Amino acid sequence: MAHMIKRIQRCCLEVLCLIAFLLLLPGCVSTRFSAPADLALPPGGADLGAELCNGLLWVDVMIDGRGPYAFLIDTGAEITVIDTAVAHELFGESIRSAGLSRAQGASGRTARLDGWIRVAELSVGGMVARELDVIAMDLSRVADALGRPFDGVVGYPVFRDAVLVVDYPNQSAAALSHAAYDTLHGAPASIPLLGGSHPTVEIDLAGRSLHFLVDTGANTRFAVERLDDLTDGSNAPVVGRRRGVDGDSMSRAFRLDGIVELGPLRYQRPIIQSAEKGNTLGGRAFSDARIAFDQRRKLLFIEPRNDAVIHMPAIQMLDVLFEKLPDGWMPSTTITGTPIEAYGLHEDDRIIALDGISTAELLCTSFETFLTGKTNVTATVRRGTTTFDVQLDVRRELK
């Protein structure tokens, strides 16, 4: 299984979305798309030049000396992916099919694969991966509140022979040799990684031992496939929508009583939301920590910024996905029966500002980040030639 994210041409806003895509391939095919034949790193490690945007790690990638291309570092991806349009730009018609045709998405529906390519050299910052097979796939269908071009995914196996360090508070990422990591970071707290080609950890939730995929390609916190095993269902209301390459689905959530521990991290009454397939621990769960993936030693190192208990903010959601267009944000899903409709907005309206800040300035600010701590927000709306303000109640506290 692999989590993948779509290339962005137009972007839609989704507060609690899983913007990952689960890709299921036959084992004999999946094996091919694993680690590079060689991974070169400077002695002190490679700064990957990452930018944290909407909780996701963006990097500039050079492919066979050409680029840069905008990729995401996605530890939930078992393979590396390149957008089909970019693949054709780089390799012409030499994409090989090798029997690949369909991938299964998180909801069980499928999306098309366009083949695979052997990349001689893929470089990110000072890291160079050589002789790497990647999947070509059309990533343009879905846009997820990112507002920027998106050309592919750097999969988890690329870092098999390195330690991948993701520092969320400082918004950076690096790839280090094991010796360099030990020299720079010593021996911080760690928990076992249970997966091979994907990082999985064990967490106790409400007396149940569950396995979670640690996924830097998901901008969520705790997402559980069998949510009703943890609650009777009545306490897990619908809080929004998520979008994948295989369609839209509804997201439910509830607060889990007590404290959940993940190594040195302690979460007070965390929000648990639904997942279509598998349990996921997204990047937002580590917003106050530096984490490091060590595939050789099968350890996830965790260095909290402080010892404070983590309190998750209230859910903020308007139950509508938005597209970021040049002239503002427009609903990209039906507003019928949603709070947006109750506020009198129409499906062809454009939101052009939030609390006086132009939406054009919110490229790397998700709705969730912008609304954290707020109970309401003023949305400036353009309808045809008319502009007006609407007060939106955006706080939804889960009991």
Side-chain angles (χ1 to χ4, degrees):
M1 286 184 283
H3 287 270
M4 300 185 184
I5 303 177
K6 288 62 64 181
R7 185 183 182 198
I8 303 305
Q9 295 291 352
R10 299 180 303 166
C11 291
C12 62
L13 183 63
E14 182 173 11
V15 178
L16 292 176
C17 80
L18 279 173
I19 60 177
F21 173 59
L22 285 170
L23 180 66
L24 304 179
L25 294 174
C28 59
V29 176
S30 178
T31 301
R32 175 194 298 141
F33 305 98
S34 54
D38 177 68
L39 187 70
L41 295 168
D47 182 346
L48 302 181
E51 175 191 4
L52 191 66
C53 182
N54 286 315
L56 303 171
L57 293 164
W58 291 91
V59 291
D60 286 337
V61 169
M62 301 293 293
I63 298 176
D64 291 350
R66 297 174 64 181
Y69 296 99
F71 274 56
L72 288 175
I73 296 176
D74 187 353
T75 58
E78 191 175 333
I79 58 178
T80 293
V81 181
I82 185 172
D83 180 66
T84 300
V86 175
H88 283 300
E89 173 188 323
L90 289 168
F91 304 100
E93 300 302 320
S94 61
I95 300 175
R96 291 165 278 189
S97 64
L100 299 178
S101 60
R102 307 294 294 179
Q104 183 174 330
S107 67
R109 296 183 291 270
T110 61
R112 176 182 172 182
L113 301 179
D114 293 317
W116 63 278
I117 311 102
R118 169 63 60 87
V119 172
E121 187 173 284
L122 183 149
S123 60
V124 186
M127 181 188 78
V128 180
R130 298 187 176 93
E131 299 301 320
L132 176 68
D133 291 330
V134 303
I135 286 286
M137 182 178 181
D138 181 5
L139 304 176
S140 62
R141 179 181 177 273
V142 179
D144 297 295
L146 302 175
R148 55 192 296 169
F150 177 72
D151 301 314
V153 169
V154 180
Y156 183 61
V158 168
F159 303 96
R160 183 192 63 184
D161 297 322
V163 179
L164 171 62
V165 181
V166 181
D167 190 333
Y168 282 100
N170 292 313
Q171 303 187 23
S172 65
L176 285 72
S177 69
H178 293 81
Y181 179 81
D182 292 345
T183 299
L184 292 173
H185 298 279
S190 65
I191 58 176
L193 287 175
L194 308 178
S197 56
H198 49 278
T200 303
V201 297
E202 187 174 16
I203 302 176
D204 184 278
L205 291 184
R208 294 175 179 268
S209 179
L210 301 178
H211 289 183
F212 282 77
L213 174 70
V214 183
D215 188 359
T216 62
N219 67 349
T220 56
R221 295 179 176 90
F222 294 89
V224 176
E225 179 180 0
R226 300 182 63 177
L227 196 68
D228 290 337
D229 286 353
L230 302 176
T231 177
D232 61 9
S234 61
N235 296 323
V238 172
V239 294
R241 299 172 184 263
R242 65 168 65 88
R243 170 161 291 179
V245 297
D246 55 343
D248 297 345
S249 58
M250 304 304 292
S251 176
R252 299 162 54 222
F254 78 105
R255 280 197 184 274
L256 183 70
D257 288 336
I259 290 179
V260 172
E261 296 184 353
L262 179 63
L265 300 178
R266 303 172 72 239
Y267 302 88
Q268 176 72 48
R269 298 192 71 231
I271 292 175
I272 313 296
Q273 65 188 85
S274 59
E276 288 283 337
K277 199 173 187 67
N279 306 324
T280 302
L281 191 62
R284 292 190 187 278
F286 302 101
S287 58
D288 291 319
R290 176 169 58 199
I291 60 176
F293 300 84
D294 187 335
Q295 297 185 51
R296 180 183 299 174
R297 290 179 281 200
K298 297 183 178 181
L299 293 173
L300 178 68
F301 296 102
I302 304 175
E303 298 178 77
R305 180 161 49 182
N306 55 56
D307 295 330
V309 174
I310 299 169
H311 298 272
M312 292 186 181
I315 293 287
Q316 287 107 357
M317 188 63 195
L318 297 173
D319 294 357
V320 175
L321 304 184
F322 291 84
E323 289 188 37
K324 283 185 177 178
L325 302 176
D327 58 345
W329 293 354
M330 180 186 75
S332 64
T333 55
T334 179
I335 67 172
T336 302
T338 71
I340 283 290
E341 182 184 42
Y343 289 121
L345 272 66
H346 298 171
E347 292 189 355
D348 57 352
D349 286 343
R350 301 288 196 276
I351 295 178
I352 60 174
L354 294 173
D355 284 346
I357 302 174
S358 170
T359 52
E361 300 177 25
L362 300 175
L363 293 180
C364 280
T365 302
S366 68
F367 237 153
E368 183 181 32
T369 300
F370 184 84
L371 300 178
T372 296
K374 298 177 182 290
T375 58
N376 57 72
V377 64
T378 301
T380 303
V381 180
R382 178 178 295 142
R383 178 179 298 164
T385 59
T386 303
T387 300
F388 56 94
D389 289 340
V390 176
Q391 295 291 322
L392 305 177
D393 181 2
V394 296
R395 183 182 180 90
R396 177 178 297 171
E397 182 59 84
L398 296 173
K399 303 302 182 183

